Amino acid sequence: MNVGIVDLGSNTVRLSVYRVNDDKVKLLLHRKVTAGIASYTSKKKLSDEGIGLICEILTEFHELLSNLEIPSMHIFATASLRNIINRDEALSEIIKKTGLKIDVISGEEEAMLSFYGALPDISFSSGLMIDMGGGSTELLHFDNKKILTSCSLPVGSLDLFNRHVSGLFPDTSECCSIQKEVRELLFHFGIEHFDSTHVVGVGGTIRAICKISNHYFKRSGGSDMFTLSELREVTEQLKLMKVSTAREVLKLIPERIHTIVPGAIALESICATYGVNDITVSPHGAREGYLCRHVLGKEQK
């Protein structure tokens, strides 16, 4: 059985096609569109242009799967549609134009799905999972690989950029305001404080930071781990954003040139708050969790 899963996020829309045979799941195809849906939202209302863009992308994905004779496409949306006030209107318009239904999941469920999706990649039994997207950040505390507590912060890398940054990169005062907001949200909405030595990181922002860290520290082979001290050093370099740094970022992650600094500041603030030592990056997350939980009816692969 081949199954298509679409993750409709605030910054990117991703299609992953999996082949499922008994208990084995294999990724066959992956497509990503950096749409920046959150940028089409004003006063928590998604514009007609944003709704049209979603319809265009979903139609393209559906046609691709039809050409590949894959009949099954499951779509879920995170903060992109979860946090808007005209959600019902948007969903109705999308169904009208495409015939496709979208499952809008809660922040708590997103955290759970990301955890189950990343679980096969977690080598430590206890720690913190951070899933940083464009419009929200999910935190989950686990022990013996079992969920203890979780929460969803209403901020992500693209959201922070849209609300705090006046140019392409934040200046010193804007960097401070990003850090201040994240720390305040952690105080009010974060999970109960505990010291977590290890973090498993999920999402495009954290994967991008890992790629930059590998390049900055000249690690060959694409390491999937970086430390808090390395994160701090990389974040300081990104905040300065010299011309040479900007050129390197454009080579490594051109589609995230505007969101990487807010994302790095937010990640550093979270890791510092919970006493993190190292961050291991998982290539899996909510899509795999959604496949296993909602399509296959399992908790993990």
Side-chain angles (χ1 to χ4, degrees):
M1 175 177 68
N2 295 334
V3 180
I5 304 291
V6 176
D7 178 356
L8 177 54
S10 296
N11 192 33
T12 60
V13 185
R14 298 171 184 262
L15 165 67
S16 295
V17 178
Y18 303 92
R19 174 169 293 164
V20 181
N21 288 322
D22 298 324
D23 290 332
K24 296 181 179 179
V25 177
K26 181 179 180 181
L27 179 64
L28 298 180
L29 179 150
H30 179 72
R31 290 284 301 276
K32 179 181 75 171
V33 177
T34 304
I37 299 300
S39 298
Y40 294 87
T41 300
S42 177
K43 296 181 180 179
K44 294 190 175 182
K45 183 176 181 179
L46 182 62
S47 68
D48 291 341
E49 185 180 4
I51 294 172
L53 179 58
I54 291 173
C55 292
E56 180 182 330
I57 295 169
L58 295 183
T59 298
E60 178 186 336
F61 285 170
H62 188 253
E63 290 177 351
L64 172 62
L65 293 190
S66 296
N67 291 336
L68 295 174
E69 298 183 344
I70 299 173
S72 181
M73 185 170 88
H74 302 263
I75 309 166
F76 70 91
T78 53
S80 57
L81 298 184
R82 181 171 67 226
N83 295 340
I84 62 173
I85 60 175
N86 61 329
R87 181 199 305 175
D88 292 342
E89 176 187 338
L91 290 173
S92 177
E93 189 67 16
I94 292 168
I95 292 175
K96 179 181 177 181
K97 290 185 175 180
T98 69
L100 300 170
K101 294 183 178 180
I102 301 173
D103 183 9
V104 181
I105 63 174
S106 68
E108 289 72 20
E109 184 176 7
E110 184 178 359
M112 179 191 69
L113 294 178
S114 294
F115 175 71
Y116 283 125
L119 194 55
D121 306 314
I122 302 175
S123 60
F124 38 91
S125 61
S126 301
L128 176 69
M129 184 209 72
I130 304 174
D131 180 0
M132 183 176 293
S136 69
T137 299
E138 282 62 52
L139 306 178
L140 184 146
H141 179 205
F142 62 94
D143 186 43
N144 292 321
K145 294 193 175 181
K146 301 295 183 182
I147 297 172
L148 296 181
T149 55
S150 66
C151 74
S152 179
L153 304 180
V155 290
S157 57
L158 180 57
D159 167 71
L160 289 168
F161 170 80
N162 286 336
R163 291 189 296 103
H164 289 276
V165 185
S166 57
L168 183 59
F169 307 114
D171 59 26
T172 301
S173 64
E174 291 168 340
C175 287
C176 290
S177 68
I178 291 170
Q179 185 181 63
K180 182 175 183 291
E181 180 180 3
V182 173
R183 288 180 173 176
E184 288 178 349
L185 286 171
L186 285 171
F187 177 77
H188 290 290
F189 301 108
I191 55 180
E192 183 179 351
H193 182 77
F194 64 97
D195 288 332
S196 175
T197 302
H198 305 296
V199 159
V200 56
V202 176
T205 297
I206 296 179
R207 285 193 288 270
I209 293 170
C210 186
K211 185 178 290 188
I212 292 173
S213 178
N214 286 338
H215 177 79
Y216 183 80
F217 292 103
K218 297 180 172 56
R219 284 192 288 259
S220 60
S223 173
D224 63 355
M225 193 272 287
F226 55 96
T227 66
L228 176 58
S229 62
E230 290 173 342
L231 172 61
R232 283 173 169 157
E233 188 168 345
V234 166
T235 301
E236 286 305 311
Q237 292 301 315
L238 289 173
K239 286 161 67 175
L240 293 173
M241 197 55 77
K242 297 177 181 178
V243 173
S244 58
T245 303
R247 286 175 176 168
E248 292 303 317
V249 172
L250 282 170
K251 289 178 184 177
L252 296 167
I253 48 164
E255 74 282 4
R256 296 184 183 273
I257 185 69
H258 58 308
T259 61
I260 193 63
V261 183
I265 293 170
L267 181 61
E268 181 189 2
S269 297
I270 295 169
C271 290
T273 297
Y274 290 103
V276 168
N277 179 62
D278 53 72
I279 301 98
T280 299
V281 182
S282 171
H284 305 112
R287 287 184 302 284
E288 288 77 16
Y290 194 90
L291 171 67
C292 293
R293 297 277 296 189
H294 290 270
V295 180
L296 305 180
K298 302 176 182 178
E299 290 199 350
Q300 64 188 84
K301 291 186 276 184

PDB file of all heavy atoms in Angstrom, residues 195-227:
ATOM      1  N   ASP A 195      15.238  19.839  34.576  1.00  0.00           N
ATOM      2  CA  ASP A 195      16.513  19.879  33.860  1.00  0.00           C
ATOM      3  C   ASP A 195      16.576  18.702  32.895  1.00  0.00           C
ATOM      4  O   ASP A 195      16.431  17.543  33.296  1.00  0.00           O
ATOM      5  CB  ASP A 195      17.685  19.823  34.839  1.00  0.00           C
ATOM      6  CG  ASP A 195      17.843  21.130  35.603  1.00  0.00           C
ATOM      7  OD1 ASP A 195      17.459  22.171  35.045  1.00  0.00           O
ATOM      8  OD2 ASP A 195      18.316  21.102  36.751  1.00  0.00           O
ATOM      9  N   SER A 196      16.774  18.987  31.626  1.00  0.00           N
ATOM     10  CA  SER A 196      16.823  17.950  30.598  1.00  0.00           C
ATOM     11  C   SER A 196      18.176  18.007  29.892  1.00  0.00           C
ATOM     12  O   SER A 196      18.473  18.972  29.193  1.00  0.00           O
ATOM     13  CB  SER A 196      15.695  18.143  29.586  1.00  0.00           C
ATOM     14  OG  SER A 196      15.807  17.214  28.538  1.00  0.00           O
ATOM     15  N   THR A 197      18.975  16.991  30.083  1.00  0.00           N
ATOM     16  CA  THR A 197      20.292  16.970  29.443  1.00  0.00           C
ATOM     17  C   THR A 197      20.181  16.814  27.941  1.00  0.00           C
ATOM     18  O   THR A 197      20.918  17.429  27.172  1.00  0.00           O
ATOM     19  CB  THR A 197      21.142  15.823  30.013  1.00  0.00           C
ATOM     20  OG1 THR A 197      21.256  15.987  31.425  1.00  0.00           O
ATOM     21  CG2 THR A 197      22.532  15.806  29.394  1.00  0.00           C
ATOM     22  N   HIS A 198      19.224  15.990  27.511  1.00  0.00           N
ATOM     23  CA  HIS A 198      19.123  15.661  26.089  1.00  0.00           C
ATOM     24  C   HIS A 198      17.838  16.191  25.467  1.00  0.00           C
ATOM     25  O   HIS A 198      16.779  16.190  26.103  1.00  0.00           O
ATOM     26  CB  HIS A 198      19.163  14.142  25.890  1.00  0.00           C
ATOM     27  CG  HIS A 198      20.363  13.479  26.494  1.00  0.00           C
ATOM     28  ND1 HIS A 198      21.643  13.731  26.054  1.00  0.00           N
ATOM     29  CD2 HIS A 198      20.469  12.593  27.509  1.00  0.00           C
ATOM     30  CE1 HIS A 198      22.498  13.005  26.777  1.00  0.00           C
ATOM     31  NE2 HIS A 198      21.805  12.325  27.664  1.00  0.00           N
ATOM     32  N   VAL A 199      17.948  16.624  24.219  1.00  0.00           N
ATOM     33  CA  VAL A 199      16.795  17.064  23.437  1.00  0.00           C
ATOM     34  C   VAL A 199      16.780  16.312  22.112  1.00  0.00           C
ATOM     35  O   VAL A 199      17.837  16.101  21.505  1.00  0.00           O
ATOM     36  CB  VAL A 199      16.853  18.582  23.164  1.00  0.00           C
ATOM     37  CG1 VAL A 199      15.989  18.962  21.959  1.00  0.00           C
ATOM     38  CG2 VAL A 199      16.381  19.361  24.375  1.00  0.00           C
ATOM     39  N   VAL A 200      15.595  15.911  21.683  1.00  0.00           N
ATOM     40  CA  VAL A 200      15.426  15.467  20.297  1.00  0.00           C
ATOM     41  C   VAL A 200      14.708  16.602  19.571  1.00  0.00           C
ATOM     42  O   VAL A 200      13.668  17.081  20.013  1.00  0.00           O
ATOM     43  CB  VAL A 200      14.636  14.142  20.197  1.00  0.00           C
ATOM     44  CG1 VAL A 200      13.277  14.231  20.871  1.00  0.00           C
ATOM     45  CG2 VAL A 200      14.481  13.738  18.727  1.00  0.00           C
ATOM     46  N   GLY A 201      15.321  17.079  18.502  1.00  0.00           N
ATOM     47  CA  GLY A 201      14.792  18.206  17.753  1.00  0.00           C
ATOM     48  C   GLY A 201      14.088  17.755  16.490  1.00  0.00           C
ATOM     49  O   GLY A 201      14.595  16.902  15.742  1.00  0.00           O
ATOM     50  N   VAL A 202      12.902  18.315  16.264  1.00  0.00           N
ATOM     51  CA  VAL A 202      12.074  17.951  15.113  1.00  0.00           C
ATOM     52  C   VAL A 202      11.715  19.229  14.352  1.00  0.00           C
ATOM     53  O   VAL A 202      11.526  20.286  14.954  1.00  0.00           O
ATOM     54  CB  VAL A 202      10.785  17.231  15.574  1.00  0.00           C
ATOM     55  CG1 VAL A 202       9.870  16.937  14.393  1.00  0.00           C
ATOM     56  CG2 VAL A 202      11.129  15.936  16.320  1.00  0.00           C
ATOM     57  N   GLY A 203      11.606  19.132  13.058  1.00  0.00           N
ATOM     58  CA  GLY A 203      11.159  20.269  12.262  1.00  0.00           C
ATOM     59  C   GLY A 203      12.260  20.898  11.428  1.00  0.00           C
ATOM     60  O   GLY A 203      13.449  20.742  11.710  1.00  0.00           O
ATOM     61  N   GLY A 204      11.826  21.628  10.385  1.00  0.00           N
ATOM     62  CA  GLY A 204      12.769  22.202   9.432  1.00  0.00           C
ATOM     63  C   GLY A 204      13.710  23.226  10.016  1.00  0.00           C
ATOM     64  O   GLY A 204      14.878  23.311   9.608  1.00  0.00           O
ATOM     65  N   THR A 205      13.251  24.027  10.982  1.00  0.00           N
ATOM     66  CA  THR A 205      14.116  25.050  11.573  1.00  0.00           C
ATOM     67  C   THR A 205      15.291  24.417  12.292  1.00  0.00           C
ATOM     68  O   THR A 205      16.450  24.843  12.127  1.00  0.00           O
ATOM     69  CB  THR A 205      13.313  25.926  12.558  1.00  0.00           C
ATOM     70  OG1 THR A 205      12.293  26.622  11.840  1.00  0.00           O
ATOM     71  CG2 THR A 205      14.222  26.941  13.245  1.00  0.00           C
ATOM     72  N   ILE A 206      15.024  23.389  13.092  1.00  0.00           N
ATOM     73  CA  ILE A 206      16.093  22.750  13.856  1.00  0.00           C
ATOM     74  C   ILE A 206      17.033  21.982  12.926  1.00  0.00           C
ATOM     75  O   ILE A 206      18.257  21.980  13.126  1.00  0.00           O
ATOM     76  CB  ILE A 206      15.511  21.843  14.950  1.00  0.00           C
ATOM     77  CG1 ILE A 206      14.728  22.689  15.962  1.00  0.00           C
ATOM     78  CG2 ILE A 206      16.612  21.061  15.669  1.00  0.00           C
ATOM     79  CD1 ILE A 206      14.077  21.909  17.077  1.00  0.00           C
ATOM     80  N   ARG A 207      16.477  21.354  11.890  1.00  0.00           N
ATOM     81  CA  ARG A 207      17.341  20.679  10.921  1.00  0.00           C
ATOM     82  C   ARG A 207      18.245  21.692  10.211  1.00  0.00           C
ATOM     83  O   ARG A 207      19.418  21.402   9.933  1.00  0.00           O
ATOM     84  CB  ARG A 207      16.499  19.908   9.907  1.00  0.00           C
ATOM     85  CG  ARG A 207      15.905  18.623  10.460  1.00  0.00           C
ATOM     86  CD  ARG A 207      15.349  17.744   9.351  1.00  0.00           C
ATOM     87  NE  ARG A 207      14.127  18.288   8.791  1.00  0.00           N
ATOM     88  CZ  ARG A 207      12.908  18.004   9.234  1.00  0.00           C
ATOM     89  NH1 ARG A 207      12.756  17.184  10.256  1.00  0.00           N
ATOM     90  NH2 ARG A 207      11.850  18.531   8.653  1.00  0.00           N
ATOM     91  N   ALA A 208      17.710  22.879   9.933  1.00  0.00           N
ATOM     92  CA  ALA A 208      18.505  23.921   9.276  1.00  0.00           C
ATOM     93  C   ALA A 208      19.625  24.412  10.189  1.00  0.00           C
ATOM     94  O   ALA A 208      20.762  24.632   9.738  1.00  0.00           O
ATOM     95  CB  ALA A 208      17.607  25.084   8.870  1.00  0.00           C
ATOM     96  N   ILE A 209      19.331  24.582  11.464  1.00  0.00           N
ATOM     97  CA  ILE A 209      20.350  25.011  12.417  1.00  0.00           C
ATOM     98  C   ILE A 209      21.451  23.963  12.525  1.00  0.00           C
ATOM     99  O   ILE A 209      22.641  24.290  12.610  1.00  0.00           O
ATOM    100  CB  ILE A 209      19.722  25.288  13.796  1.00  0.00           C
ATOM    101  CG1 ILE A 209      18.797  26.514  13.711  1.00  0.00           C
ATOM    102  CG2 ILE A 209      20.795  25.518  14.860  1.00  0.00           C
ATOM    103  CD1 ILE A 209      17.948  26.740  14.951  1.00  0.00           C
ATOM    104  N   CYS A 210      21.079  22.696  12.504  1.00  0.00           N
ATOM    105  CA  CYS A 210      22.075  21.618  12.548  1.00  0.00           C
ATOM    106  C   CYS A 210      22.970  21.665  11.315  1.00  0.00           C
ATOM    107  O   CYS A 210      24.189  21.487  11.415  1.00  0.00           O
ATOM    108  CB  CYS A 210      21.359  20.269  12.639  1.00  0.00           C
ATOM    109  SG  CYS A 210      22.477  18.862  12.866  1.00  0.00           S
ATOM    110  N   LYS A 211      22.390  21.931  10.162  1.00  0.00           N
ATOM    111  CA  LYS A 211      23.177  22.017   8.923  1.00  0.00           C
ATOM    112  C   LYS A 211      24.181  23.176   9.001  1.00  0.00           C
ATOM    113  O   LYS A 211      25.351  23.022   8.608  1.00  0.00           O
ATOM    114  CB  LYS A 211      22.238  22.205   7.734  1.00  0.00           C
ATOM    115  CG  LYS A 211      22.937  22.186   6.390  1.00  0.00           C
ATOM    116  CD  LYS A 211      21.941  22.323   5.248  1.00  0.00           C
ATOM    117  CE  LYS A 211      21.093  21.093   5.099  1.00  0.00           C
ATOM    118  NZ  LYS A 211      20.257  21.151   3.858  1.00  0.00           N
ATOM    119  N   ILE A 212      23.719  24.310   9.517  1.00  0.00           N
ATOM    120  CA  ILE A 212      24.621  25.451   9.675  1.00  0.00           C
ATOM    121  C   ILE A 212      25.723  25.134  10.680  1.00  0.00           C
ATOM    122  O   ILE A 212      26.894  25.478  10.470  1.00  0.00           O
ATOM    123  CB  ILE A 212      23.829  26.702  10.122  1.00  0.00           C
ATOM    124  CG1 ILE A 212      22.903  27.166   8.999  1.00  0.00           C
ATOM    125  CG2 ILE A 212      24.774  27.834  10.524  1.00  0.00           C
ATOM    126  CD1 ILE A 212      21.978  28.281   9.396  1.00  0.00           C
ATOM    127  N   SER A 213      25.358  24.481  11.784  1.00  0.00           N
ATOM    128  CA  SER A 213      26.331  24.116  12.811  1.00  0.00           C
ATOM    129  C   SER A 213      27.394  23.184  12.245  1.00  0.00           C
ATOM    130  O   SER A 213      28.595  23.356  12.503  1.00  0.00           O
ATOM    131  CB  SER A 213      25.617  23.451  13.994  1.00  0.00           C
ATOM    132  OG  SER A 213      26.539  23.046  14.976  1.00  0.00           O
ATOM    133  N   ASN A 214      26.983  22.195  11.469  1.00  0.00           N
ATOM    134  CA  ASN A 214      27.947  21.269  10.853  1.00  0.00           C
ATOM    135  C   ASN A 214      28.920  22.010   9.950  1.00  0.00           C
ATOM    136  O   ASN A 214      30.124  21.730   9.933  1.00  0.00           O
ATOM    137  CB  ASN A 214      27.206  20.195  10.058  1.00  0.00           C
ATOM    138  CG  ASN A 214      26.535  19.170  10.936  1.00  0.00           C
ATOM    139  OD1 ASN A 214      26.908  18.985  12.095  1.00  0.00           O
ATOM    140  ND2 ASN A 214      25.536  18.485  10.409  1.00  0.00           N
ATOM    141  N   HIS A 215      28.389  22.976   9.195  1.00  0.00           N
ATOM    142  CA  HIS A 215      29.242  23.755   8.295  1.00  0.00           C
ATOM    143  C   HIS A 215      30.183  24.659   9.088  1.00  0.00           C
ATOM    144  O   HIS A 215      31.386  24.725   8.794  1.00  0.00           O
ATOM    145  CB  HIS A 215      28.373  24.598   7.363  1.00  0.00           C
ATOM    146  CG  HIS A 215      29.152  25.482   6.444  1.00  0.00           C
ATOM    147  ND1 HIS A 215      29.753  25.013   5.294  1.00  0.00           N
ATOM    148  CD2 HIS A 215      29.442  26.816   6.509  1.00  0.00           C
ATOM    149  CE1 HIS A 215      30.380  26.012   4.695  1.00  0.00           C
ATOM    150  NE2 HIS A 215      30.209  27.116   5.411  1.00  0.00           N
ATOM    151  N   TYR A 216      29.649  25.315  10.106  1.00  0.00           N
ATOM    152  CA  TYR A 216      30.442  26.267  10.885  1.00  0.00           C
ATOM    153  C   TYR A 216      31.590  25.577  11.620  1.00  0.00           C
ATOM    154  O   TYR A 216      32.706  26.095  11.670  1.00  0.00           O
ATOM    155  CB  TYR A 216      29.529  26.984  11.886  1.00  0.00           C
ATOM    156  CG  TYR A 216      30.225  28.047  12.708  1.00  0.00           C
ATOM    157  CD1 TYR A 216      30.466  29.314  12.173  1.00  0.00           C
ATOM    158  CD2 TYR A 216      30.636  27.790  14.010  1.00  0.00           C
ATOM    159  CE1 TYR A 216      31.103  30.292  12.918  1.00  0.00           C
ATOM    160  CE2 TYR A 216      31.276  28.765  14.764  1.00  0.00           C
ATOM    161  CZ  TYR A 216      31.507  30.013  14.221  1.00  0.00           C
ATOM    162  OH  TYR A 216      32.145  30.975  14.961  1.00  0.00           O
ATOM    163  N   PHE A 217      31.315  24.394  12.176  1.00  0.00           N
ATOM    164  CA  PHE A 217      32.343  23.655  12.927  1.00  0.00           C
ATOM    165  C   PHE A 217      33.070  22.626  12.074  1.00  0.00           C
ATOM    166  O   PHE A 217      33.786  21.770  12.597  1.00  0.00           O
ATOM    167  CB  PHE A 217      31.709  22.991  14.151  1.00  0.00           C
ATOM    168  CG  PHE A 217      31.239  23.977  15.188  1.00  0.00           C
ATOM    169  CD1 PHE A 217      29.891  24.291  15.312  1.00  0.00           C
ATOM    170  CD2 PHE A 217      32.148  24.625  16.018  1.00  0.00           C
ATOM    171  CE1 PHE A 217      29.452  25.218  16.253  1.00  0.00           C
ATOM    172  CE2 PHE A 217      31.720  25.554  16.956  1.00  0.00           C
ATOM    173  CZ  PHE A 217      30.367  25.853  17.075  1.00  0.00           C
ATOM    174  N   LYS A 218      32.836  22.696  10.751  1.00  0.00           N
ATOM    175  CA  LYS A 218      33.565  21.861   9.773  1.00  0.00           C
ATOM    176  C   LYS A 218      33.449  20.372  10.098  1.00  0.00           C
ATOM    177  O   LYS A 218      34.445  19.634  10.101  1.00  0.00           O
ATOM    178  CB  LYS A 218      35.031  22.297   9.693  1.00  0.00           C
ATOM    179  CG  LYS A 218      35.218  23.720   9.187  1.00  0.00           C
ATOM    180  CD  LYS A 218      36.684  24.114   9.130  1.00  0.00           C
ATOM    181  CE  LYS A 218      36.872  25.460   8.455  1.00  0.00           C
ATOM    182  NZ  LYS A 218      36.099  26.550   9.071  1.00  0.00           N
ATOM    183  N   ARG A 219      32.220  19.934  10.361  1.00  0.00           N
ATOM    184  CA  ARG A 219      31.973  18.509  10.607  1.00  0.00           C
ATOM    185  C   ARG A 219      31.561  17.851   9.302  1.00  0.00           C
ATOM    186  O   ARG A 219      30.523  18.202   8.727  1.00  0.00           O
ATOM    187  CB  ARG A 219      30.878  18.316  11.664  1.00  0.00           C
ATOM    188  CG  ARG A 219      31.345  18.587  13.081  1.00  0.00           C
ATOM    189  CD  ARG A 219      30.309  18.084  14.068  1.00  0.00           C
ATOM    190  NE  ARG A 219      29.125  18.920  14.063  1.00  0.00           N
ATOM    191  CZ  ARG A 219      28.853  19.856  14.984  1.00  0.00           C
ATOM    192  NH1 ARG A 219      29.707  20.059  15.991  1.00  0.00           N
ATOM    193  NH2 ARG A 219      27.759  20.566  14.915  1.00  0.00           N
ATOM    194  N   SER A 220      32.339  16.920   8.863  1.00  0.00           N
ATOM    195  CA  SER A 220      32.021  16.201   7.634  1.00  0.00           C
ATOM    196  C   SER A 220      31.082  15.041   7.964  1.00  0.00           C
ATOM    197  O   SER A 220      31.034  14.564   9.088  1.00  0.00           O
ATOM    198  CB  SER A 220      33.293  15.670   6.964  1.00  0.00           C
ATOM    199  OG  SER A 220      33.975  14.784   7.839  1.00  0.00           O
ATOM    200  N   GLY A 221      30.344  14.608   6.959  1.00  0.00           N
ATOM    201  CA  GLY A 221      29.476  13.450   7.166  1.00  0.00           C
ATOM    202  C   GLY A 221      28.089  13.795   7.661  1.00  0.00           C
ATOM    203  O   GLY A 221      27.245  12.913   7.823  1.00  0.00           O
ATOM    204  N   GLY A 222      27.812  15.080   7.905  1.00  0.00           N
ATOM    205  CA  GLY A 222      26.463  15.478   8.292  1.00  0.00           C
ATOM    206  C   GLY A 222      26.023  14.981   9.642  1.00  0.00           C
ATOM    207  O   GLY A 222      25.083  14.181   9.749  1.00  0.00           O
ATOM    208  N   SER A 223      26.672  15.410  10.707  1.00  0.00           N
ATOM    209  CA  SER A 223      26.287  15.019  12.065  1.00  0.00           C
ATOM    210  C   SER A 223      24.847  15.430  12.356  1.00  0.00           C
ATOM    211  O   SER A 223      24.366  16.459  11.878  1.00  0.00           O
ATOM    212  CB  SER A 223      27.230  15.677  13.082  1.00  0.00           C
ATOM    213  OG  SER A 223      26.777  15.452  14.397  1.00  0.00           O
ATOM    214  N   ASP A 224      24.140  14.614  13.144  1.00  0.00           N
ATOM    215  CA  ASP A 224      22.763  14.926  13.517  1.00  0.00           C
ATOM    216  C   ASP A 224      22.682  15.451  14.949  1.00  0.00           C
ATOM    217  O   ASP A 224      21.609  15.459  15.549  1.00  0.00           O
ATOM    218  CB  ASP A 224      21.859  13.697  13.364  1.00  0.00           C
ATOM    219  CG  ASP A 224      22.270  12.557  14.290  1.00  0.00           C
ATOM    220  OD1 ASP A 224      23.298  12.681  14.984  1.00  0.00           O
ATOM    221  OD2 ASP A 224      21.548  11.545  14.319  1.00  0.00           O
ATOM    222  N   MET A 225      23.813  15.917  15.502  1.00  0.00           N
ATOM    223  CA  MET A 225      23.820  16.397  16.882  1.00  0.00           C
ATOM    224  C   MET A 225      24.678  17.641  17.022  1.00  0.00           C
ATOM    225  O   MET A 225      25.705  17.777  16.364  1.00  0.00           O
ATOM    226  CB  MET A 225      24.346  15.297  17.804  1.00  0.00           C
ATOM    227  CG  MET A 225      24.103  15.549  19.302  1.00  0.00           C
ATOM    228  SD  MET A 225      25.418  16.521  20.104  1.00  0.00           S
ATOM    229  CE  MET A 225      26.730  15.302  20.174  1.00  0.00           C
ATOM    230  N   PHE A 226      24.209  18.589  17.861  1.00  0.00           N
ATOM    231  CA  PHE A 226      25.023  19.746  18.220  1.00  0.00           C
ATOM    232  C   PHE A 226      24.737  20.087  19.677  1.00  0.00           C
ATOM    233  O   PHE A 226      23.699  19.706  20.231  1.00  0.00           O
ATOM    234  CB  PHE A 226      24.755  20.949  17.298  1.00  0.00           C
ATOM    235  CG  PHE A 226      23.321  21.377  17.206  1.00  0.00           C
ATOM    236  CD1 PHE A 226      22.838  22.412  17.998  1.00  0.00           C
ATOM    237  CD2 PHE A 226      22.445  20.761  16.312  1.00  0.00           C
ATOM    238  CE1 PHE A 226      21.516  22.833  17.902  1.00  0.00           C
ATOM    239  CE2 PHE A 226      21.126  21.167  16.210  1.00  0.00           C
ATOM    240  CZ  PHE A 226      20.663  22.202  17.017  1.00  0.00           C
ATOM    241  N   THR A 227      25.672  20.788  20.308  1.00  0.00           N
ATOM    242  CA  THR A 227      25.553  21.087  21.736  1.00  0.00           C
ATOM    243  C   THR A 227      24.983  22.485  21.951  1.00  0.00           C
ATOM    244  O   THR A 227      24.917  23.303  21.027  1.00  0.00           O
ATOM    245  CB  THR A 227      26.925  21.007  22.426  1.00  0.00           C
ATOM    246  OG1 THR A 227      27.766  22.054  21.903  1.00  0.00           O
ATOM    247  CG2 THR A 227      27.582  19.657  22.195  1.00  0.00           C
TER     248      THR A 227
END
